[in-house]
Amino acid sequence: MSVRPAWELRESGDSAVTWFDVRLAFADGAGVDLLAVVSEDCVSIEDVHARPPLSLVDLAELADWIEGPLLDRCAGGAGAEAEEVTDGPGGPRRARPAWPSGREGRRLIAREYRAAQREGGDPVLAVMCATGYSRRRSLRLIAQARDAGYLTPRHAKR
């Protein structure tokens, strides 16, 4: 993880708000660039750009990934060079969960899809959340699960 100070705003007294450019790079080629704000031992995320898109679970954990290194960086002074951190809390992380390929992956896609249908939710969104893939890629995976016979055909043939 790379952390660089972007700018700092001093308010009345000794309190300061500092913005940081943060870049996370993962071994699988995924990456996250974000703008974080640190003030009074609090970290807020202002802007996030992720490749591939983050799943909802990973997005919720993003603040936990960067909070420790950012607060450490603030304690060390804002004038220092960018700090490199190899792993997040709990070891290395991937931007998206590992998803099996082939028959096992298609079977799991169908399971997520049907579970969302039973619960009245959006099945495509459920597949997107489970895999961490974009809508387009998730639709392709759903089509592959249909072609493999794990899901019913989309349109009944007449």
Side-chain angles (χ1 to χ4, degrees), residues 103-119:
R103 186 179 352 179
E104 180 65 18
R106 289 188 291 272
R107 189 181 62 76
L108 292 173
I109 293 290
R111 186 180 73 192
E112 292 290 333
Y113 187 93
R114 285 191 303 267
Q117 278 184 324
R118 279 191 303 271
E119 295 170 4

Side-chain angles (χ1 to χ4, degrees), residues 44-121:
S44 302
I45 298 173
E46 292 288 320
D47 189 31
V48 177
H49 297 276
R51 298 160 315 275
L54 293 173
S55 69
L56 293 176
V57 172
D58 286 340
L59 187 59
E61 291 181 7
L62 183 60
D64 293 336
W65 294 354
I66 66 168
E67 183 176 29
L70 272 176
L71 292 178
D72 291 345
R73 176 85 165 102
C74 290
E81 291 298 315
E83 177 182 347
E84 297 293 330
V85 179
T86 56
D87 296 329
R93 297 197 184 246
R94 294 174 51 102
R96 75 178 117 80
W99 193 260
S101 60
R103 186 179 352 179
E104 180 65 18
R106 289 188 291 272
R107 189 181 62 76
L108 292 173
I109 293 290
R111 186 180 73 192
E112 292 290 333
Y113 187 93
R114 285 191 303 267
Q117 278 184 324
R118 279 191 303 271
E119 295 170 4

Side-chain angles (χ1 to χ4, degrees), residues 99 105-114 116-117 122-131 133-154:
W99 193 260
R106 289 188 291 272
R107 189 181 62 76
L108 292 173
I109 293 290
R111 186 180 73 192
E112 292 290 333
Y113 187 93
R114 285 191 303 267
Q117 278 184 324
D122 181 354
V124 177
L125 183 59
V127 171
M128 289 170 60
C129 291
T131 62
Y133 290 126
S134 68
R135 182 172 187 83
R136 176 179 280 176
R137 176 77 190 266
S138 296
L139 286 169
R140 272 193 222 131
L141 293 172
I142 291 167
Q144 290 172 2
R146 283 188 200 288
D147 292 344
Y150 292 110
L151 292 170
T152 58
R154 185 161 169 78

